[in-house]
Amino acid sequence: MEEYFDIMSQCPLFAGISRQELGLMLNCLDGKITGITKVICSLYERQ
């Protein structure tokens, strides 16, 4: 998961957290990498 630390550190949720702290926190929270399917949702306004 460490290959994503640079990306995650740019997120305001992880601001000010060191790489070491991030690793410890994600381990404690049982963080996992998973994939999701992209879903496109369109909303149309009726006239």
Side-chain angles (χ1 to χ4, degrees):
M1 186 174 305
E2 290 184 17
E3 65 266 20
Y4 297 104
F5 282 8
D6 289 333
I7 296 168
M8 290 190 298
S9 67
Q10 295 174 22
C11 176
L13 179 64
F14 302 113
I17 298 174
S18 71
R19 291 177 69 87
Q20 182 180 10
E21 292 170 324
L22 184 56
L24 294 170
M25 179 179 65
L26 293 173
N27 187 39
C28 180
L29 295 173
D30 198 25
K32 294 180 180 75
I33 297 172
T34 186
I36 60 169
T37 304
K38 184 177 180 178
V39 177
I40 299 173
C41 179
S42 297
L43 300 175
Y44 294 95
E45 182 180 341
R46 278 184 98 166
Q47 294 186 4

